[in-house]
Amino acid sequence: MRHFGHIAPEVRQRLFHLEPCEFTADSSARLLAVALGATLYSPATRPRLADDIVKQTGRGVVSMVLCLEDSIADEEVADAEENLVRQFKDLAGHDGMDLPLLFIRVRTPEQIPDLVKRLGTAARLLSGFVMPKFTEERGIPFLEALASAETASGRRLFAMPVLESPELLYRESRVETLEGISRAVDKYRERVLALRLGVTDFCSSYGLRRAPDMTAYDVQVVASVIADVVNMMGRADGTGFTVTGPVWEYFRVQERMFKPQLRRSPFLEGKAEELREALIEHAMDGLLREITLDQANGLQGKTCIHPSHVLPVHALSVVSHEEFSDAQDILRSERGGGGVLRSAYTNKMNEVKPHRAWAERTLLRAEVFGVANEDIGFVELLAAGIPD
């Protein structure tokens, strides 16, 4: 599979200076953590789940979470498990088809080995499990169950803990909780693919819900948690983990309180203005702003609950030609001793030592999402990926 693999090769050649790489579920964890991109969640109760997965694959989705937790009612769990096993076995019959990275969001540790056993040979399609309300005390049993299931199945399985507990939100217990989470995930580092943020649960602790005109970063109690999680868990010194962006809840037209925040300048040519209006009509400008703020604050990818959110996340993840040029200059071998240089675009200073970690991350993102041609921006990438 590859990002933007659902569009025609000749279109990719026009869009990309460097095309996105191909990868599989067996690729390195370092690459897969970035390649997750927009991770689409789906309730495990969907009766045509296998068909849905195949359909979304054709629309550019490369990672999905099939949920047995908050998205379904308590009394639905047993039926949802049966449906999930049945749908996985149906998917196993699609030989030769590239399927997304598939994860199951469970409620209890005991579900992990039980589901892997029930999946049988279809477990080869499974990339791992999402572990809710993760703290050190609650999380260790999930990680131990994952390790046991991995041994029994002979299949590499990843963990994606969700950081969403009240203990993490509350100021008086936050540092202690983060230190405990850090101990737990560090012990199982090779199995932890990414840490996911449960911003909806954070908001619920205070009876809050952000409007479509607002981002998670406008809700200060939430923004402070994101900052502390990245501070302690997202460092670029080799001790950190990939931390993914929070879910965007909106996908219908809502009454708007503020003027649109989406900048007009990229939308002035061709039919771009029409696309801009469509994005604003569907309250997508707030999503685009939040994705940009996710990236500025050290988060990668995003949790998505609607297919329409996937392409904007991926389009904004493509590395611009200017970013790529800067990153390459910074990492040139002759620059190993440091120093300062003017960018090839002559509009900024590239300081070799301070910008090195950024450059390394940028080149990894460039490998996964590609590098846009000089004259290609977000709008062109978005428009090319929208199905006819």
Side-chain angles (χ1 to χ4, degrees), residues 181-257:
I181 292 171
S182 182
R183 286 191 296 268
V185 295
D186 191 59
K187 182 179 179 181
Y188 291 86
R189 176 173 290 272
E190 72 281 1
R191 290 188 173 91
V192 177
L193 187 61
L195 305 177
R196 310 201 73 89
L197 289 168
V199 163
T200 301
D201 278 45
F202 289 153
C203 288
S204 73
S205 295
Y206 287 88
L208 304 174
R209 185 175 190 180
R210 67 191 190 277
D213 305 281
M214 299 281 187
T215 72
Y217 302 92
D218 295 312
V219 183
Q220 290 300 300
V221 69
V222 170
S224 69
V225 184
I226 296 174
D228 286 344
V229 169
V230 173
N231 190 322
M232 294 185 67
M233 309 294 293
R235 299 177 186 178
D237 60 0
T239 66
F241 295 82
T242 293
V243 183
T244 65
V247 68
W248 180 259
E249 298 178 351
Y250 295 97
F251 51 89
R252 293 178 181 173
V253 177
Q254 301 284 339
E255 181 180 357
R256 303 184 58 78
M257 297 175 61

Side-chain angles (χ1 to χ4, degrees), residues 135-199:
T135 63
E136 182 179 28
E137 181 180 3
R138 289 195 292 270
I140 288 292
F142 280 103
L143 293 169
E144 289 174 342
L146 181 81
S148 176
E150 185 180 70
T151 300
S153 66
R155 166 76 186 164
R156 182 179 70 169
L157 296 171
F158 287 116
M160 290 203 290
V162 185
L163 310 187
E164 57 186 347
S165 64
E167 300 98 314
L168 181 58
L169 179 62
Y170 299 151
R171 186 184 183 113
E172 67 271 19
S173 55
R174 184 178 304 168
V175 172
E176 181 181 355
T177 302
L178 273 171
E179 288 174 342
I181 292 171
S182 182
R183 286 191 296 268
V185 295
D186 191 59
K187 182 179 179 181
Y188 291 86
R189 176 173 290 272
E190 72 281 1
R191 290 188 173 91
V192 177
L193 187 61
L195 305 177
R196 310 201 73 89
L197 289 168
V199 163

Side-chain angles (χ1 to χ4, degrees), residues 88 115-117 119-127 153 155 157:
F88 259 83
L115 285 168
V116 170
K117 182 178 180 181
L119 286 171
T121 57
R124 61 184 170 80
L125 304 179
L126 182 64
S127 289
S153 66
R155 166 76 186 164
L157 296 171

Side-chain angles (χ1 to χ4, degrees), residues 268-285:
L268 298 181
E269 295 183 3
K271 295 185 178 179
E273 184 68 20
E274 182 180 324
L275 177 57
R276 175 184 181 275
E277 292 174 359
L279 289 170
I280 292 173
E281 180 184 354
H282 291 89
M284 295 291 275
D285 55 319

Side-chain angles (χ1 to χ4, degrees), residues 18-80:
L18 179 68
E19 289 194 32
C21 71
E22 293 185 346
F23 60 91
T24 72
D26 296 319
S27 295
S28 71
R30 178 172 176 268
L31 187 143
L32 290 180
V34 177
L36 287 168
T39 301
L40 183 63
Y41 275 54
S42 178
T45 50
R46 292 181 68 88
R48 297 180 60 85
L49 185 59
D51 291 338
D52 292 341
I53 291 169
V54 172
K55 179 180 178 182
Q56 295 308 326
T57 302
R59 295 185 171 184
V61 173
V62 302
S63 66
M64 291 187 69
V65 172
L66 315 175
C67 186
L68 292 167
E69 207 227 357
D70 284 348
S71 68
I72 65 173
D74 296 345
E75 63 271 15
E76 293 180 304
V77 173
D79 288 342

